[in-house]
Amino acid sequence: MRELIWRDFVLNRNAILANLLVFTAFLGYAAWDEASPGAYIFFAAIMFSVVPIMIVTREEKFKAMRLGCSLPVTRRGVVRARYVLSLGFGVAGILLALSLGAAISSSSLDVSTLLGPRELLIALTLVTLIVSLLLPFTLRFGAMGLIIMMVALQVLGSVLLIVAQITRSSADKRVAAAVAGAVRSVAVALGEPAFSLLVLGGLALVVAVSYVVAVHVFERREL
Amino acid sequence: MEPILELRHVTKAYEGFTLEDVSFALPRGYIMGLIGPNGAGKTTIVKSILNLVRIDGGEIRVAGLDHRRDEVDVRSRIGFVHENPRFHDALTVERAAAVIAPFYPTWDRAEFGRLAAEFGLPRRQRVRTLSRGQRTRFALAVALAHRAELLLLDEPSSGLDPVFRRELLDRLSGVIEGGHTSVLFSTHITADLDRIADYVTFVRQGRLVFSAAKDDVRERWVLVKGGTELLTDEVRARLAGIVVHEFGFTALTGDLAGLRALLAGAQLVVEPATLEDVLFYTGRRAHDDLRLYDDRR
């Protein structure tokens, strides 16, 4: 696995560096511009989670996946390396964002706010969900699959919005409020430490399910 | 001795194409040419061996190991040279090799250096600036530097200039000399087979037509020519790929003795068949004469 991760770094060095520069500049500006801690963490998590997805799509673009999979590695090994890399990038991105937020003197993002369990948990949830949702699709269908899925989600969102507008239904808001209420009730009932553990367990389960699906679909992909 | 490569009843179905019940074996230390027209299934066979495509049925063994169960071990024994070798274009030759090296426990850095020098590969040049021939040389150097037991080459000579094509074939002849390495290369150029192959496997429309030692193929098949009045059903049954022209027929037979016994006294011209003849005539469907003249006149 180490060799696979190292290979991804070497092969995508310039692209990764370019992304890091852009993201750092963006986060620096957001911190200086006094963004809300939630929004700040939200964007950091999203930006850094998609870097490994970019690595997979670049491999696809340069038609190097066949070469990669003809090396003495299993497909399962390739998928495992991609998950470790993706989650690693996500977590590293959050740490970088926190450091930036804390380091920029004019920032309103003080360390205690950024390091609050709620913010960290939200960031980790975002990273996990993005990686778990996008990676199996990208590994199986490549860049085109990813684009199709994003477009499909956009279309679905637009259709739901239009339906909600036309029918003047507030079902979406009621569902969202009910879910948030349920989460809050569980959090209150369990207390913060137990709730955090429960969320972490849930995230681990999501990653595990996504990984099993990714291995299953990638092993069946014809190269 | 166990063959380096063995395919048993391999099947693979795509929409509009099926590789059907393909079986052959390559003994260690020999070169096998996998030949067939475009779309015959050559690349599917090569990819199946590497498990880049999943076979639907049958079994593939490399050095006695199952190509799926022992995937990593099998791949570490294989050197793969693709039709259009693609590496990571932005890296230099040296860097690209360094990225691949850690995957192979048997990688020999000194050997790669020696091969790069021998093949005239500019080690500090970026891969994207290499010519097609240089890329193939690079892929071959990578395959040989990890001491592959089986070299798989998918159409390595197509698109290459004649000078480098010949050089590549000579190099392939050279790599099997120690007996450690065997070669399976797919091609649709019969001259390549004439030059270096010890065994020939011919596939057509996803089916195996034959797999045999090249010398056996040459000895077995001959071209026969005669008048069309000789083409009875019994005679036809002993012929492959009959071509009918204005003054008679030409066909291939693997049963000259039987044909002579059947046509005792008849005028029959017999000529040795080239490998190209064998592929041309056996590749045609039985009882489907190719008419090279207009018989409506």
Side-chain angles (χ1 to χ4, degrees):
Chain A
M1 186 168 70
R2 225 177 30 218
E3 295 89 0
L4 284 164
I5 293 176
W6 172 241
R7 176 175 164 266
D8 279 342
F9 268 113
V10 172
L11 300 179
N12 299 283
R13 191 185 52 195
N14 293 345
I16 290 171
L17 282 176
N19 274 289
L20 278 179
L21 274 174
V22 172
F23 293 170
T24 307
F26 179 82
L27 288 173
Y29 175 76
W32 176 77
D33 199 37
E34 302 186 355
S36 76
Y40 184 74
I41 288 288
F42 177 82
F43 283 114
I46 287 181
M47 285 190 296
F48 284 93
S49 307
V50 295
V51 172
I53 309 291
M54 171 205 74
I55 290 175
V56 180
T57 55
R58 271 171 59 85
E59 191 171 38
E60 186 88 12
K61 181 183 162 193
F62 295 117
K63 298 186 171 65
M65 197 166 265
R66 188 182 299 163
L67 171 72
C69 288
S70 66
L71 293 169
V73 288
T74 58
R75 300 270 181 113
R76 181 181 290 273
V78 173
V79 173
R80 196 184 304 135
R82 291 275 146 82
Y83 270 75
V84 169
L85 190 65
S86 304
L87 294 170
F89 255 107
V91 172
I94 293 167
L95 291 176
L96 176 73
L98 294 177
S99 312
L100 270 174
I104 293 175
S105 59
S106 65
S107 170
S108 64
L109 305 169
D110 63 276
V111 181
S112 58
T113 315
L114 285 174
L115 288 179
R118 189 171 169 270
E119 272 66 33
L120 286 177
L121 214 54
I122 289 172
L124 209 56
T125 304
L126 276 170
V127 168
T128 306
L129 291 181
I130 291 167
V131 169
S132 302
L133 184 68
L134 296 188
L135 215 43
F137 257 92
T138 318
L139 284 166
R140 175 63 184 87
F141 300 107
M144 194 45 73
L146 183 66
I147 291 167
I148 290 170
M149 196 194 71
M150 301 292 255
V151 170
L153 285 177
Q154 292 249 1
V155 170
L156 181 68
S158 305
V159 168
L160 289 177
L161 196 65
I162 291 167
V163 169
Q165 290 289 323
I166 291 172
T167 59
R168 297 189 182 282
S169 161
S170 57
D172 54 335
K173 289 188 184 102
R174 283 203 305 273
V175 169
V179 170
V183 170
R184 242 178 259 118
S185 309
V186 173
V188 169
L190 291 176
E192 199 163 274
F195 178 71
S196 299
L197 281 177
L198 182 73
V199 172
L200 288 176
L203 294 179
L205 185 68
V206 168
V207 173
V209 170
S210 166
Y211 170 73
V212 170
V213 171
V215 169
H216 181 80
V217 295
F218 192 54
E219 281 183 340
R220 276 150 190 80
R221 182 170 178 187
E222 314 254 312
L223 294 169
Chain B
M1 198 186 200
E2 200 172 41
I4 184 69
L5 172 69
E6 192 173 11
L7 275 77
R8 290 187 203 146
H9 310 294
V10 170
T11 58
K12 170 73 192 170
Y14 291 111
E15 203 179 315
F17 171 79
T18 305
L19 191 69
E20 217 166 307
D21 196 22
V22 171
S23 301
F24 64 84
L26 169 62
R28 283 175 190 266
Y30 290 96
I31 298 179
M32 176 181 276
L34 181 62
I35 193 151
N38 290 333
K42 303 186 294 292
T43 298
T44 303
I45 290 173
V46 172
K47 284 184 180 177
S48 300
I49 295 166
L50 284 161
N51 203 21
L52 292 176
V53 299
R54 287 166 65 91
I55 55 173
D56 299 328
E59 191 184 4
I60 299 176
R61 300 189 83 81
V62 175
L65 301 167
D66 185 274
H67 85 302
R68 281 194 288 216
R69 204 178 49 236
D70 308 304
E71 191 175 15
V72 173
D73 209 354
V74 162
R75 291 225 192 99
S76 65
R77 290 162 191 259
I78 293 177
F80 178 41
V81 179
H82 186 244
E83 178 185 2
N84 184 10
R86 293 200 79 109
F87 292 94
H88 306 290
D89 288 359
L91 303 182
T92 62
V93 166
E94 199 161 32
R95 195 84 174 113
V99 167
I100 295 166
F103 290 93
Y104 294 97
T106 52
W107 182 268
D108 186 336
R109 195 162 171 241
E111 177 69 0
F112 179 77
R114 193 188 67 72
L115 288 164
E118 189 186 325
F119 292 178
L121 288 171
R123 293 169 68 173
R124 294 188 188 285
Q125 196 169 317
R126 289 190 190 280
V127 173
R128 67 166 158 254
T129 63
L130 297 179
S131 68
R132 173 77 195 282
Q134 283 176 317
R135 278 171 182 250
T136 304
R137 280 192 195 114
F138 177 48
L140 195 59
V142 166
L144 295 176
H146 70 81
R147 305 198 178 284
E149 290 174 49
L150 173 65
L151 284 187
L152 283 182
L153 301 100
D154 188 17
E155 305 265 4
S157 56
S158 68
L160 294 179
D161 65 75
V163 175
F164 180 62
R165 210 178 101 212
R166 183 161 177 166
E167 183 195 321
L168 175 72
L169 297 176
D170 288 345
R171 283 195 192 285
L172 291 180
S173 293
V175 299
I176 63 158
E177 272 170 11
H180 172 78
T181 310
S182 314
V183 177
L184 175 75
F185 76 104
S186 72
T187 183
H188 56 267
I189 306 170
T190 51
D192 291 354
L193 299 182
D194 277 320
R195 188 157 189 86
I196 60 161
D198 302 299
Y199 290 85
V200 178
T201 294
F202 180 31
V203 285
R204 182 178 172 274
Q205 291 179 342
R207 288 167 186 266
L208 184 78
V209 181
F210 63 77
S211 182
K214 186 174 71 182
D215 293 340
D216 291 347
V217 174
R218 280 181 175 154
E219 279 169 25
R220 183 181 167 203
W221 300 96
V222 288
L223 279 182
V224 291
K225 294 177 178 178
T228 47
E229 72 281 0
L230 300 177
L231 287 175
T232 62
D233 286 347
E234 271 183 305
V235 169
R236 280 177 177 277
R238 286 175 168 77
L239 299 174
I242 302 165
V243 177
V244 179
H245 40 84
E246 201 163 353
F247 304 106
F249 75 91
T250 304
L252 192 76
T253 183
D255 181 17
L256 184 62
L259 199 64
R260 279 202 161 126
L262 202 64
L263 297 171
Q267 195 174 13
L268 202 64
V269 178
V270 179
E271 289 176 1
T274 63
L275 214 44
E276 190 167 324
D277 292 328
V278 175
L279 299 179
F280 172 73
Y281 287 98
T282 53
R284 302 192 58 250
R285 282 176 300 200
H287 307 295
D288 187 11
D289 298 353
L290 174 63
R291 293 188 173 272
L292 297 179
Y293 73 104
D294 185 358
D295 55 1
R296 290 168 299 182
R297 280 182 298 175

